[in-house]
């Protein structure tokens, strides 16, 4: 796609034009002329790209390809100039930055080497401009006319339809699925069929099979009926062992782990180690899964086509004990034939059909206007017919079309859009306009969102994508434009929400503050993105075969599920980005299941690299040559047991994100002090030891997995405030804390008034985390270790809001939403103080978090609490007074073996939707329907899960 190529070059030219005159001496005019020429071409290329996708004219396709190639050549010339200039300057002043974000005053403007560099760039730019002139002449010679984009395709209309659904109110509505939903529930919980039965959901692609399955899977009836539930999505060419391993991991997490054992933050360094216990170390995962499921009623859902041999392996690993267990297969008719001969009972297949005209319009209406809105009455009947005529009742086509029309003026622009699709549909085509609708939706995206959407082609099909990682990659690639008053990450979140609003991306999860956590792209849209990215030379996807044109590939996505060895030996001289997902992310990239590869030798010739994001490679160390890749913005490695970083990593003067994760829990990597002076750092997630004082890291937002072994332990000592120059930190996670660090830690936290997430781990934690006034923005707090004041912070603080007359701190964290505590040994007074927090919605108190046998939630406390997790083995009595935790929706009790009874107040909490009991056999007996002393307290709860 030439449009994205030109957009990229224009952004780079803008950087150069903004550079100091001393650097661009004798080439500044050439660069500006190139920019002007590209800006003119940019106005023509969008229409040409659209026509190329429709394959209307071969001349247009050739012109687009040639324009794209010249844009790539211009990018190569500019990057080569920057690389050579940076290398020369680094040789003179090793740690000084020389790119546009830094001062160029140190450049000697008349030195012979610099003059040669400028002359070289000037000559290449003149050649590029000459080629652009020739291409423009060819456009005229072959009568390639420019058709201006319609008004609706230029930008969202200011007069767009009113009462639109919110961006996050776009759930997968199961309109028209009631009969299928009832059939599926009946087959799953049918007591007449006691054997392990197979239930199948079949239908054409994008008909809504997964949507139906998910709705029933999450229903209270199904959650109550099965002890163990797992859902596995089959990626293309998946390994049978990975399928079994994923099911084993999910089952083990429900059986052996505390529901709150996700104490390692998802973005931290201990994530892999945290799940290692749930990952089989041997090869016989099938037997281990069989043992875990024996004696329990389970539901296993397999979403995708499965080979006969894989199905046999899966079937042999699932016990059939006549207890009503079920296996659900979501596939097409071809996939169903694979298991048709399977032994044991098999229910009649549930085959989905397309939606009726009435249900088609209902799905469209909800997607555009929300639950209560609708199209104005005078237009309703006209669009009622057209929408069904265009989409033919295919759910994916309906929601994508709705995503386009959400931002269009009604009725003028709606009519223009629909007229294109009505006239284009081929009556003989079963799929109607499915591909055309996706193409139109893509054409309608603004320039910056096109690149963002195509980047999903680098992700694994059907995989859930972490939004935080995705946005960081967008920023590193240069897709995100700066906006006054917002961070680049906030702008990137806005881009993602717009893609969700346009129904090009599906929201999976968001937090209480509306921040997107995870997303997914439908298989058909993912295939469209891959086709378009490949056609436009935007991303080349690679599995176990050689890269076809290594000399030209610019972004490489390596996705290997079926082989253990990835052979990438060719030099990739023009490579800008490499995104490797070599093992299924659900397995964490660890457990001895990483793909083997000797080193990163194939990257040595890739001097223009901006992004390295590799998951699942067995890698002990990075090559020292990494320091010469000075363009790198993002370096992410989730690679087995990384033992060493080369000192040259401090040469990466443009580095924004360093993400290092592995299985070497507790191992601290050495990094030079110069690394902490890279001014562009934004996110560091790595097992590093912090120096006494960081450099001027004003852009640093995330600091996870670090220990402060070198901190000055004297308040006001030589180190002073160790984080004093990192005042824009949003997320901080520190481990290895001791009492001697309290003064330095307090000094650091006092300067971090932008902090929203904090995790502290160590032998002694200061209770001042609840009293420091600067932390009023804090939303999430995780504490692992003994509190220095277990009865709560005392008086004597100068802040009037923080301290009441009796010396007990109250109302000190107005935005604190999530609080998790382990081994803190706090007392009842501390719990009373927590009950006063006005926004606390999720509270986790695990082993040794509370010091006592009797816990009380007093009158009116915990007013906003929605999720409560208690894992206190020594707790005998838990009392909840009237009005306490009145909004509670989910209660999880883990291993509270000494608890005598449930609080009577649970019976008076109407919002309570789910109660989960882990390893509490006595309490399970007490809540039984017949004869259970505590049954009346939870009989109104829709979902009650008991896991042994």
């Amino acid at each position: 796609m030439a449009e994205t190529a030109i957009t990229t070059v224009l952004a780079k030219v803008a950087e150069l034009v903004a550079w100091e005159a001393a650097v661009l001496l004798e080439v500044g005019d050439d660069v500006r002329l190139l920019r002007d020429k590209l800006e003119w071409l940019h106005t023509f290329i969008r229409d040409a790209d659209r026509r190329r996708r429709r394959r209307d004219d071969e001349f247009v396709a050739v012109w687009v390809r040639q324009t794209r190639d010249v844009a790539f050549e211009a990018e190569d010339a500019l990057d080569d100039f920057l690389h050579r200039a940076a290398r020369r300057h680094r040789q003179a002043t090793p740690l000084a930055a020389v790119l546009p974000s830094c001062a160029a005053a140190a450049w000697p403007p008349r030195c012979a080497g610099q003059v040669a560099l400028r002359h070289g760039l000037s000559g290449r730019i003149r050649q590029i401009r000459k080629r652009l002139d020739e291409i423009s002449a060819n456009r005229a010679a072959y009568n390639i006319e420019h058709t201006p984009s319609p008004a609706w395709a230029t930008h969202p209309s200011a007069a767009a339809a009113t009462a639109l659904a919110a961006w996050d109110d776009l759930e997968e509505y199961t309109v028209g699925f009631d009969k299928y939903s009832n059939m599926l529930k009946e087959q799953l919980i049918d007591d007449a069929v006691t054997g392990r039965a197979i239930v199948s959901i079949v239908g054409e692609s994008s008909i809504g099979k997964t949507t139906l399955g998910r709705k029933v899977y999450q229903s209270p009836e199904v959650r109550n009926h099965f002890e163990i539930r797992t859902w596995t999505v089959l990626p293309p060419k998946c390994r049978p062992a990975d399928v079994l391993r994923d099911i084993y991991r999910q089952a083990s997490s429900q059986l052996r782990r505390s529901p709150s054992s996700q104490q390692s933050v998802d973005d931290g360094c201990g994530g892999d180690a945290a799940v290692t216990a749930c990952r089989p170390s041997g090869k016989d995962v099938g037997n281990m899964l069989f043992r875990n499921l024996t004696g329990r009623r389970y539901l296993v859902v397999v979403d995708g086509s499965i080979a006969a041999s894989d199905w046999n392996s899966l079937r042999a690993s699932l016990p059939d004990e006549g207890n009503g267990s079920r296996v659900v297969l979501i596939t097409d008719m071809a996939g169903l034939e694979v298991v048709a001969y399977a032994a044991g009972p098999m229910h009649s297949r549930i085959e989905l059909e397309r939606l009726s005209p009435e249900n088609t319009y209902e799905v469209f209406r909800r997607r555009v206007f929300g639950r209560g809105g609708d199209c104005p009455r005078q237009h309703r009947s006209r669009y009622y017919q057209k929408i069904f005529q265009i989409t033919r009742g295919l759910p994916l086509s309906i929601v994508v079309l709705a995503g386009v029309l959400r931002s269009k003026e009604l009725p003028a622009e709606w009519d223009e859009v629909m007229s294109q699709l009505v006239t284009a549909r081929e009556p003989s085509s079963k799929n109607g306009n499915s591909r055309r609708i996706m193409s139109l939706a893509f054409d309608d995206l603004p320039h910056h969102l096109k690149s963002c959407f195509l980047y999903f082609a680098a992700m694994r099909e059907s995989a859930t994508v972490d939004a935080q990682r995705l946005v960081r990659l967008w920023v590193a690639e240069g897709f995100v434009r700066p906006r006054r008053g917002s961070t680049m990450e906030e702008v990137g979140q806005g881009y993602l929400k717009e893609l969700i609003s346009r129904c090009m991306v599906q929201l999976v999860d968001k937090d209480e503050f509306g921040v997107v956590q995870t997303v997914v792209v439908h298989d058909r849209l993912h295939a469209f993105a891959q086709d378009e990215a490949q056609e436009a030379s935007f991303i080349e996807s690679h599995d176990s075969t050689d890269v076809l044109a290594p000399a030209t590939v610019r972004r490489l996505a390596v996705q290997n599920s079926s082989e253990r060895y990835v052979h990438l030996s060719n030099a990739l001289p023009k490579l800008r980005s490499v995104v490797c997902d070599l093992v299924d992310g659900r397995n964490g990239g660890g457990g001895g299941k990483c793909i083997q590869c000797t080193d990163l030798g194939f990257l040595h010739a890739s001097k223009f690299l901006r992004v390295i994001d590799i998951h699942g490679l067995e890698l002990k160390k990075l090559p020292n040559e990494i320091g010469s890749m000075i363009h790198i913005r993002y370096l992410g490695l989730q690679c087995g047991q990384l033992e060493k970083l080369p000192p040259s990593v401090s040469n990466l003067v443009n580095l924004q994100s360093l993400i290092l994760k592995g299985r070497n829990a507790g191992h601290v990597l050495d990094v030079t002090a110069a690394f902490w002076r890279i001014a562009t750092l934004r996110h560091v997630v790595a097992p590093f030891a912090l120096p006494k004082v960081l450099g001027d890291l004003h852009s640093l937002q995330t600091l996870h997995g670090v220990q402060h072994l070198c901190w000055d332990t004297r308040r006001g000592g030589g180190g002073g405030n160790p984080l004093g120059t990192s005042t824009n930190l949003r997320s901080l996670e520190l481990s290895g804390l001791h009492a001697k660090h309290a003064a330095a830690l307090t000094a650091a936290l006092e300067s971090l008034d932008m902090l929203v997430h904090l995790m502290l781990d160590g032998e002694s934690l200061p209770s001042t985390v609840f009293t420091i006034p600067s932390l009023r923005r804090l939303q999430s707090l995780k504490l692992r270790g003994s509190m220095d004041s277990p009865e709560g912070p005392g008086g004597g603080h100068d802040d009037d809001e923080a301290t009441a007359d009796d010396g007990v701190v109250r109302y000190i964290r107005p935005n604190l939403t999530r609080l998790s505590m382990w081994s803190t040994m706090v007392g009842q007074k501390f719990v009373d103080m927590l009950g006063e927090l006005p926004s606390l919605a999720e509270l986790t108190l695990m082993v040794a978090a509370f010091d006592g046998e009797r816990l009380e939630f007093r009158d009116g406390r915990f007013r906003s609490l929605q999720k409560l997790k208690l894992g206190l083995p020594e707790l005998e009595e838990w009392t909840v007074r009237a009005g306490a935790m009145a909004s509670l929706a989910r209660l999880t009790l883990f291993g509270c073996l000494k608890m005598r009874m449930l609080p009577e107040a649970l019976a008076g909490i109407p919002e309570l939707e789910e109660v989960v009991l882990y390893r509490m056999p006595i309490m399970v007996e007490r809540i039984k329907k017949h004869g259970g002393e505590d049954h009346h307290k939870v009989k109104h709860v829709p979902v009650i899960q008991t896991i042994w």
Side-chain angles (χ1 to χ4, degrees):
M1 189 180 64
E3 183 182 356
T4 57
I6 293 178
T7 301
T8 299
V9 179
L10 283 173
K12 195 154 297 184
V13 169
E15 289 183 357
L16 270 175
V17 170
W19 212 351
E20 295 289 337
V23 178
L24 285 182
L25 188 67
E26 301 176 4
V27 276
D29 289 341
D30 290 320
V31 172
R32 293 181 183 90
L33 289 172
L34 174 63
R35 177 195 61 188
D36 295 343
K37 187 71 177 178
L38 289 172
E39 285 178 343
W40 277 107
L41 273 175
H42 201 233
T43 63
F44 288 88
I45 206 67
R46 180 169 185 159
D47 170 65
D49 251 336
R50 183 166 55 248
R51 292 167 63 188
R52 188 262 307 166
R53 268 187 287 279
R54 294 202 304 260
R55 291 172 170 78
D56 289 347
D57 191 332
E58 289 190 17
F59 290 122
V60 171
V62 171
W63 183 70
V64 168
R65 187 179 66 251
Q66 290 181 351
T67 303
R68 180 199 65 212
D69 291 344
V70 176
F72 285 159
E73 187 178 340
E75 184 183 19
D76 290 342
L78 297 175
D79 277 344
D80 186 59
F81 172 75
L82 291 173
H83 183 82
R84 291 173 182 270
R87 188 174 59 185
R88 288 178 181 274
H89 190 72
R90 191 173 68 247
Q91 291 170 354
T93 52
L95 290 176
V98 296
L99 293 182
S101 60
C102 306
W107 263 60
R110 292 294 179 185
C111 119
Q114 310 303 350
V115 171
L117 272 179
R118 296 175 187 129
H119 279 305
L121 176 62
S122 182
R124 292 183 69 175
I125 289 179
R126 283 195 291 269
Q127 291 177 355
I128 291 168
R129 286 172 47 208
K130 182 179 179 181
R131 280 201 63 193
L132 289 174
D133 290 337
E134 292 172 354
I135 291 172
S136 297
N138 287 337
R139 185 177 67 84
Y142 291 103
N143 296 318
I144 301 176
E145 298 295 334
H146 170 57
T147 305
S149 299
W152 60 265
T154 305
H155 48 74
S157 172
T162 58
L164 290 176
W167 71 271
D168 56 350
D169 187 30
L170 301 175
E171 62 177 283
E172 291 284 357
Y173 298 107
T174 52
V175 175
F177 281 4
D178 288 347
K179 67 175 182 178
Y180 301 123
S181 178
N182 293 334
M183 290 170 58
L184 182 55
K185 288 180 183 178
E186 182 179 341
Q187 293 186 10
L188 291 179
I189 62 179
D190 184 5
D191 291 332
V193 181
T194 58
R196 181 199 62 199
I198 299 168
V199 178
S200 57
I201 306 173
V202 298
E204 63 180 298
S205 176
S206 68
I207 196 71
K209 303 185 294 294
T210 299
T211 300
L212 169 66
R214 277 288 183 193
K215 287 291 184 181
V216 175
Y217 182 83
Q218 297 289 359
S219 66
E221 303 96 315
V222 170
R223 289 159 72 186
N224 276 329
H225 190 72
F226 295 98
E227 293 178 68
I228 301 295
R229 295 177 304 127
T230 70
W231 184 295
T232 296
V233 178
L234 300 182
K237 301 180 182 179
C238 63
R239 293 189 294 265
D242 282 342
V243 177
L244 295 177
R245 192 173 296 111
D246 184 58
I247 298 173
Y248 175 86
R249 179 189 61 82
Q250 294 183 54
S252 298
S253 69
Q254 296 175 46
L255 292 172
R256 298 181 180 177
R257 276 198 299 155
S258 156
S260 56
S261 66
Q262 318 232 351
Q263 40 195 292
S264 303
V265 180
D266 292 339
D267 198 21
C269 303
D272 296 321
V275 299
T276 299
C278 300
R279 198 182 295 130
S281 57
K283 296 181 179 180
D284 199 2
V285 62
N287 283 341
M288 299 177 73
L289 174 62
F290 190 94
R291 288 196 298 269
N292 265 7
L293 297 182
T294 298
R296 298 179 175 90
R297 180 188 292 158
Y298 60 83
L299 169 63
V300 171
V301 181
V302 179
D303 188 354
S305 297
I306 187 169
S309 59
D310 298 347
W311 170 249
N312 289 334
S313 298
L314 175 60
R315 186 161 52 104
S317 303
L318 303 177
D320 185 359
E321 303 176 287
N323 59 4
S325 294
R326 296 289 185 267
V327 179
V328 176
L329 185 63
I330 302 176
T331 185
D332 53 19
M333 291 300 296
L336 184 62
E337 293 176 2
V338 171
V339 300
Y341 64 89
M346 186 170 184
H347 284 285
S348 301
R349 68 173 183 259
I350 299 174
E351 186 171 1
L352 272 61
E353 299 176 350
R354 295 196 177 196
L355 299 180
S356 66
E358 294 81 4
N359 288 329
T360 294
Y361 181 77
E362 180 64 12
V363 172
F364 175 84
R365 179 191 67 78
R366 292 188 184 184
R367 280 282 175 158
V368 176
F369 299 100
R371 294 178 183 271
D374 201 350
C375 182
R377 185 178 300 274
Q378 63 268 31
H379 306 302
R380 197 173 303 163
S381 61
R382 180 165 87 249
Y383 295 133
Y384 176 93
Q385 297 295 335
K386 282 188 176 181
I387 292 164
F388 181 75
Q389 181 184 0
I390 292 169
T391 64
R392 292 300 180 188
L394 192 65
L396 179 63
S397 296
I398 298 168
V399 298
V400 174
L401 177 61
V404 174
L405 295 178
R406 276 170 55 85
S407 60
K408 306 306 173 196
E409 184 181 356
L410 184 70
E413 292 179 353
W414 280 40
D415 289 338
E416 286 187 46
V417 172
M418 291 190 181
S419 64
Q420 290 193 28
L421 296 172
V422 169
T423 57
R425 189 183 65 81
E426 299 177 9
S428 60
S429 173
K430 180 181 178 181
N431 289 327
N433 274 341
S434 178
R435 180 82 180 188
R436 185 107 185 192
I437 292 172
M438 287 187 284
S439 181
L440 183 143
F442 179 72
D443 287 332
D444 189 49
L445 293 175
H447 300 305
H448 57 282
L449 288 187
K450 282 187 167 73
S451 297
C452 293
F453 175 73
L454 289 184
Y455 213 72
F456 281 98
M459 307 298 162
R460 187 183 291 272
E461 180 184 334
S462 304
T464 300
V465 179
D466 179 74
Q468 191 175 64
R469 170 196 173 209
L470 181 66
V471 169
R472 290 173 183 173
L473 288 168
W474 285 351
V475 172
E477 291 280 4
F479 300 159
V480 179
R481 301 172 179 175
R483 181 187 301 158
R484 187 182 299 275
S486 300
T487 67
M488 299 288 275
E489 290 74 13
E490 290 168 345
V491 176
Q493 269 278 327
Y495 288 3
L496 190 53
K497 290 177 181 179
E498 186 169 354
L499 287 172
I500 294 170
S501 176
R502 290 171 173 267
C503 303
M504 301 291 281
V505 174
Q506 181 180 339
L507 175 67
V508 176
D509 189 28
K510 63 182 176 68
D511 68 12
E512 297 86 347
F513 294 88
V515 177
V516 179
Q517 301 292 310
T518 51
V519 295
V520 71
V521 174
H522 190 279
D523 291 354
R524 276 201 177 181
L525 283 166
H526 185 270
F528 174 86
Q530 283 199 323
D531 289 347
E532 183 65 24
Q534 188 81 17
E535 173 73 21
S537 297
F538 185 81
I539 291 175
E540 179 171 329
S541 296
H542 169 80
D543 46 26
S544 57
T545 58
D546 286 332
V547 177
L548 296 180
T552 60
V553 63
R554 307 181 83 78
R555 291 187 183 90
L556 179 64
V558 183
Q559 301 165 349
N560 185 292
S561 300
S562 58
E563 300 294 336
R564 275 297 181 81
Y565 184 75
V566 175
H567 183 67
L568 290 171
S569 58
N570 295 317
L572 305 167
K574 297 186 183 298
L575 191 66
R576 264 66 177 183
S577 305
V578 55
V579 179
C580 294
D581 189 3
L582 302 180
V583 83
D584 199 331
R586 295 167 301 187
N587 299 328
K593 298 304 176 184
C594 293
I595 289 178
Q596 303 297 321
C597 188
T598 54
D599 57 18
L600 298 180
F602 68 98
L603 298 180
H604 290 175
S606 307
K607 61 183 180 181
F608 299 144
L609 266 172
R610 295 173 67 101
V611 168
I612 299 178
D613 187 35
I614 300 178
H615 289 221
L617 200 66
E618 279 294 356
L619 193 66
K620 298 286 187 180
K621 62 180 181 178
L622 288 177
N624 196 54
E625 292 83 356
I626 195 79
S628 65
M629 302 175 185
I630 51 91
H631 293 283
I632 289 180
R633 267 77 168 164
Y634 185 103
L635 178 57
L637 301 172
Q638 186 167 310
C639 300
Q641 297 183 2
L642 187 65
E643 297 175 351
K644 186 178 181 181
L645 285 181
S648 62
V649 74
S650 59
N651 294 336
L652 303 179
V653 294
N654 291 287
L655 188 64
Q656 298 173 354
S657 299
L658 178 65
I659 315 295
L660 302 180
K661 300 181 183 180
R663 302 191 307 276
N664 49 349
H667 177 65
V668 178
L669 291 175
D670 291 329
V671 64
T672 63
F675 171 82
W676 299 107
R677 296 197 291 270
I678 300 177
T680 55
L681 284 176
R682 304 177 71 85
H683 309 283
V684 176
V685 180
F688 290 161
L690 287 178
K692 291 183 179 180
V693 180
L694 302 184
D696 292 332
L697 302 182
H698 295 291
S699 297
L700 189 64
Q701 298 179 35
T702 305
L703 188 58
H704 284 189
V706 295
Q707 300 184 20
H708 36 72
L709 303 178
C710 303
W711 272 13
D712 195 315
T713 57
R714 300 165 298 160
R715 178 150 193 165
N721 180 356
L723 299 177
T725 60
S726 305
T727 55
N728 285 312
L729 265 176
R730 264 73 169 176
S731 187
L732 175 64
E733 296 188 0
L734 297 173
S735 59
L737 290 164
H738 297 273
K740 63 183 180 180
H741 296 126
L745 176 60
T746 299
L749 294 179
E750 285 175 345
S751 64
L752 302 180
D753 58 358
M754 302 297 291
L755 205 64
V756 296
H757 168 76
L758 175 64
M759 193 276 279
L760 301 177
D761 185 356
E763 293 183 2
S764 178
L765 308 181
S767 60
T768 52
V769 294
F770 289 95
T771 62
I772 297 173
S774 60
L775 298 181
R776 287 192 181 88
R777 286 187 173 91
L778 198 66
Q779 300 171 6
S780 172
L781 177 61
K782 297 195 174 188
L783 302 172
R784 297 187 63 199
S786 178
M787 297 288 290
D788 62 4
S789 240
E791 287 303 318
H797 204 283
D798 293 335
D799 183 66
D800 292 336
E801 181 189 29
T803 308
D805 293 338
D806 57 4
V808 177
V809 180
R810 296 190 180 97
Y811 196 66
I812 50 177
R813 292 290 170 261
N815 293 299
L816 188 63
T817 304
R818 294 187 297 274
L819 174 61
S820 302
M821 302 171 72
W822 293 262
S823 305
T824 48
M825 296 295 288
V826 300
Q828 182 62 49
K829 289 183 178 179
F830 203 108
V831 173
D832 293 343
M833 182 270 291
L834 298 180
E836 296 286 349
L837 297 175
S839 302
L840 188 63
E842 185 173 336
L843 175 63
T844 297
L845 298 176
M846 293 306 294
V847 179
F850 177 74
D851 183 19
E853 300 173 351
R854 293 173 176 78
L855 174 65
E856 181 177 357
F857 285 7
R858 294 182 175 160
D859 299 1
R861 305 291 174 99
F862 297 102
R863 294 183 297 273
S864 300
L865 194 64
Q866 298 176 15
K867 297 179 182 178
L868 175 63
K869 301 176 184 179
L870 297 179
L872 304 172
E874 301 303 319
L875 187 64
E876 297 181 5
E877 182 179 333
W878 177 33
T879 303
V880 178
R881 300 299 181 188
M885 59 180 200
S887 301
L888 190 69
R890 178 184 171 99
L891 171 64
T892 301
L893 301 178
F894 178 79
C896 300
L897 298 176
K898 295 184 178 181
M899 186 181 291
R900 299 177 186 139
M901 64 181 68
L902 292 178
E904 189 70 36
L906 294 181
I909 302 178
E911 303 295 327
L912 192 58
E913 299 174 355
E914 183 175 7
V915 172
V916 183
L917 303 178
Y918 280 74
R919 297 185 184 177
M920 297 182 62
I922 296 177
M923 196 61 66
V924 170
E925 293 296 321
R926 293 185 62 88
I927 65 171
K928 282 187 175 179
K929 185 174 182 180
H930 301 292
E933 298 94 326
D934 286 353
H935 173 69
H936 67 283
K937 302 174 185 177
V938 294
K939 65 179 181 180
H940 64 294
V941 180
V943 177
I944 298 178
Q945 289 185 292
T946 58
I947 300 175
W948 299 77

